[in-house]
């Protein structure tokens, strides 16, 4: 994975400061996230056993992660037995080499794609382009993003930052076969996209997909989508290449039943997904390749606190309730994984060597709304706090923490420090100087009371 996504030059505070100045962006985000949030609440409220389903999803994912090595080998055996070919990719570079090699072996120079966050994570489209292969996105929102030379800003709705008028302008400007009288009505925009994509579906010989789930027991892959483009990509081409993160496993076919209830309700606010496609190995007339992607996932698995991020089923529920994401959107996170889940997953996958990645654990108010809606009960605030402790800290901050620890470790020292602060409170500036100014740039310095609670209590007791 590259050091940054979208070429973001700074850290999250700098990116978000620019984003909040865009009133149109804030309006688009608020309208979309509140709509999805309301639909989700309605369909989740219909199920009396929602919390039991949530607990079951968590338990299944934890069981899979505990025995991931065994289930991956079982999956490989099942896929191979069904006529497919399994490839193992340790990182983005290896995955890109495998996929580009498979595509070039067919002699084709273009591919169609089902929306896949794993391929965005590794920069597959760019890698293919370097080898003379053009990748065409077929998901409507991904098509909008691609035509607009833009980047996804939401897990479920990549073009959530665009409104209908903006989409119409993109289509008229960049879609060569868009009707000249195109309006911004959703039906008209969808029809224009359908006609544009139909020709690509019919002529493309190679397709690239991701997968929402993989069933180790049978070697079955599962894609959930809303438009039918996935069905076209999975069935028409002569070669199908699926790039999937190793954490997308489920042990058995029966486990899938739990997630087919959790995912649609949490993502689109629907009881059932419009299109659920499943395939096992190769079918007549089609070659199937499965690329199992690590790219940092085994490192995340080794972290006792952080590994719960690998439970994620990419539903985006956490984004839709996050007060931070609602105001700044996905681009500020500088990653294909935005929002609360991105704030814990990206630093673990990429490391925190860059200013951007080191800032992501702080891209949260720790309100806990993300944990409340997560269908697999990922305690995102817990992981955020853990990552903050692991993030690189400047010399001034480290020195300040050592001094604070020394004072707080002894009640006598603490009492003396409180009395001294009370006497000098009028000399404390509202904005701290030097390296300490970063703290007061984003928060108000609390008022220092004239008398500490300890002194007040002792005086009150004596009285």
């Amino acid at each position: 994975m590259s050091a940054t996504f979208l070429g973001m030059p700074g850290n999250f505070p700098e990116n978000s400061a620019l984003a909040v100045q865009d009133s149109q962006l804030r309006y688009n985000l608020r309208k979309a996230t509140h709509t999805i949030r309301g639909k989700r609440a309605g369909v989740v409220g219909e199920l009396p056993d929602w919390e039991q389903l949530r607990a079951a999803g968590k338990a299944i994912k934890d069981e899979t992660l505990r025995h991931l090595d065994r289930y991956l080998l079982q999956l490989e055996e099942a896929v191979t037995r069904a006529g497919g070919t399994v490839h193992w990719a340790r990182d983005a570079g290896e995955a890109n080499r495998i996929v580009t090699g498979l595509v070039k072996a067919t002699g084709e120079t273009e591919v169609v794609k089902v929306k896949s966050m794993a391929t965005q994570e590794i920069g597959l489209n760019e890698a293919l382009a370097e080898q003379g292969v053009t990748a065409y996105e077929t998901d409507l929102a991904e098509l909008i993003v691609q035509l607009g030379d833009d980047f996804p800003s939401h897990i479920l709705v990549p073009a959530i930052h665009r409104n209908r008028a903006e989409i119409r302008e993109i289509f008229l400007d960049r879609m060569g076969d868009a009707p000249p009288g195109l309006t911004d009505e959703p039906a008209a925009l969808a029809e224009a996209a359908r006609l544009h994509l139909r020709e690509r579906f019919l002529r493309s010989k190679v397709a690239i997909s991701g997968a929402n789930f993989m069933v180790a027991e049978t070697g079955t892959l599962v894609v959930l989508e809303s438009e039918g483009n996935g069905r076209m990509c999975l069935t028409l081409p002569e070669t199908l290449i699926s790039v999937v993160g190793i954490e997308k496993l489920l042990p058995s076919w029966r486990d899938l039943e739990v997630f087919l209830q959790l995912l649609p309700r949490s993502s689109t606010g629907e009881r059932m997904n419009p299109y659920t496609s499943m395939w096992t190995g190769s079918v007549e007339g089609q070659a199937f390749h499965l690329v199992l992607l690590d790219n940092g996932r085994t490192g995340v698995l080794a972290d006792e606190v952080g590994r719960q991020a690998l439970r994620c089923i990419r539903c985006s529920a956490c984004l839709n309730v996050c007060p931070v994401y609602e105001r700044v959107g996905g681009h500020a996170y500088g990653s294909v994984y935005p929002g609360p889940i991105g704030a814990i997953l990206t630093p673990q996958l990429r490391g925190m060597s860059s200013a951007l990645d080191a800032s992501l654990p702080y891209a949260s108010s720790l309100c806990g709304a993300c944990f409340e809606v997560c269908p697999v009960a990922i305690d995102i605030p817990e992981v955020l706090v853990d990552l903050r402790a692991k993030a690189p800290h400047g010399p001034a901050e480290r020195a300040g923490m050592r001094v604070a620890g020394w004072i707080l470790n002894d009640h006598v020292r603490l009492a003396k420090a409180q009395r001294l602060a009370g006497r000098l409170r009028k000399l404390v500036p509202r904005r701290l100087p030097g390296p300490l100014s970063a703290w007061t740039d984003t928060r108000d310095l609390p008022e220092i009371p004239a008398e500490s609670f300890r002194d007040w209590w002792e005086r009150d007791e004596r009285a």
Side-chain angles (χ1 to χ4, degrees):
M1 188 185 286
S2 58
T4 59
F5 182 72
L6 319 185
M8 282 294 181
N11 54 31
F12 181 82
E14 294 170 352
N15 298 339
S16 58
L18 292 174
V20 295
Q21 297 175 29
D22 188 337
S23 59
Q24 184 63 59
L25 173 68
R26 296 200 312 273
Y27 174 82
N28 295 347
L29 290 168
R30 178 178 174 81
K31 182 177 180 181
T33 56
H34 280 240
T35 298
I36 300 171
R37 187 192 309 180
K39 290 176 63 179
R40 176 203 170 274
V43 294
V44 165
E46 296 173 349
L47 296 182
D49 62 342
W50 176 256
E51 287 304 319
Q52 287 82 358
L53 275 171
R54 191 171 179 241
K58 174 181 181 292
I60 292 168
K61 278 291 188 177
D62 283 345
E63 157 69 14
T64 309
L65 294 173
R66 273 194 298 270
H67 304 288
L68 188 59
D69 55 345
R70 172 160 57 87
Y71 288 125
L72 283 170
L73 292 176
Q74 184 182 5
L75 174 75
E76 181 184 32
E77 292 173 2
V79 171
T80 304
R81 192 167 53 246
T85 303
V86 177
H87 309 262
W88 299 81
R90 287 168 292 185
D91 53 30
E94 190 167 2
N96 287 332
R97 285 193 296 274
I98 292 169
V99 176
T100 54
L102 291 171
V103 174
K104 293 191 75 174
T106 67
E108 296 295 318
T109 58
E110 60 181 47
V111 300
V112 288
K113 289 182 65 194
V114 186
K115 184 172 72 172
S116 165
M117 300 198 76
T119 61
Q120 294 169 9
E121 174 188 327
I122 63 176
L124 178 60
N125 286 11
E126 292 77 11
L128 288 170
E130 290 177 2
Q131 298 297 319
V133 179
T134 304
Y136 294 102
E137 299 290 349
T138 64
D139 174 84
L140 176 56
E142 290 285 355
L143 175 65
I144 294 165
V145 168
Q146 187 177 47
L147 289 175
D149 291 327
D150 201 351
F151 295 94
S153 64
H154 191 274
I155 289 176
L156 178 69
V157 193
I160 197 172
H161 56 292
R162 298 290 193 183
N163 60 32
R164 294 186 307 179
E166 291 173 311
I167 295 168
R168 172 184 176 274
E169 292 305 315
I170 290 172
F171 279 13
L172 288 174
D173 184 48
R174 303 301 298 275
M175 186 188 288
D177 51 1
L182 182 65
T183 70
D184 64 1
E185 289 300 312
L189 296 172
E191 178 67 7
R194 187 185 73 82
L195 294 174
H196 174 74
L197 290 171
R198 178 57 59 97
E199 182 263 340
R200 302 221 185 277
F201 288 134
L202 294 175
R203 81 169 187 227
S204 295
K205 304 296 184 183
V206 181
I208 297 174
S209 85
N212 294 98
F213 306 105
M214 302 182 291
V215 181
E217 179 182 46
T218 61
T220 303
L221 275 69
V222 185
V223 162
L224 281 70
E225 41 101 10
S226 300
E227 300 160 13
N229 61 300
R231 189 71 52 85
M232 301 286 281
C233 284
L234 298 170
T235 56
L236 290 177
E238 297 172 1
T239 301
L240 173 61
I241 305 167
S242 298
V243 182
V244 190
I246 57 175
E247 82 282 13
K248 295 296 187 73
L249 266 180
L250 299 178
S252 70
W253 185 265
R254 184 174 183 178
D255 297 325
L256 187 61
E257 178 262 341
V258 173
F259 293 93
L260 291 183
Q261 295 184 73
L262 288 172
L263 182 54
R265 285 177 166 84
S266 297
S267 57
T268 56
E270 296 170 295
R271 299 178 186 90
M272 180 182 291
N273 210 67
Y275 292 90
T276 301
S277 300
M278 305 181 187
W279 68 101
T280 305
S282 290
V283 296
E284 184 178 356
Q286 184 184 75
F288 172 60
H289 297 268
L290 171 60
V291 181
L292 292 171
L293 177 69
D294 186 328
N295 204 35
R297 284 159 175 78
T298 53
V300 180
L301 188 61
D303 190 307
E304 291 187 5
V305 177
R307 70 171 62 129
Q308 59 185 299
L310 296 179
R311 289 189 215 136
C312 178
I313 58 175
R314 309 291 192 265
C315 69
S316 77
C318 61
L319 280 70
N320 299 326
V321 298
C322 179
V324 177
Y325 175 86
E326 182 185 313
R327 287 158 179 80
V328 304
H331 291 168
Y333 294 82
S335 167
V336 65
Y337 304 111
I341 187 60
I344 65 171
L345 186 58
T346 300
Q348 293 189 86
L349 291 176
R350 296 199 303 210
M352 288 186 279
S353 58
S354 73
L356 175 61
D357 293 324
S359 70
L360 288 178
Y362 299 91
S364 169
S365 65
L366 299 179
C367 68
C370 50
F371 174 52
E372 294 299 320
V373 299
C374 178
V376 287
I378 301 171
D379 193 341
I380 293 178
E382 178 188 33
V383 184
L384 285 168
V385 171
D386 184 63
L387 288 173
R388 290 180 185 187
K390 297 172 181 175
H393 301 277
E397 187 177 2
R398 292 198 300 270
M401 289 298 105
R402 283 196 293 269
V403 171
W406 181 77
I407 293 173
L408 295 171
N409 259 336
D410 184 273
H411 70 92
V412 175
R413 289 196 289 263
L414 176 60
K416 290 180 180 178
Q418 287 174 326
R419 293 189 187 105
L420 180 62
R423 294 190 184 103
L424 300 178
R425 69 187 189 281
K426 292 184 178 178
L427 301 179
V428 177
R430 302 310 303 156
R431 189 176 185 278
L432 295 177
L436 301 176
S437 62
W439 199 87
T440 49
D441 282 344
T442 55
R443 54 181 66 78
D444 294 328
L445 193 67
E447 291 284 348
I448 301 175
E451 183 179 31
S452 70
F453 176 82
R454 185 193 302 271
D455 289 344
W456 172 84
W457 180 266
E458 291 178 355
R459 175 172 51 79
D460 189 66
E461 283 294 298
R462 286 196 301 269

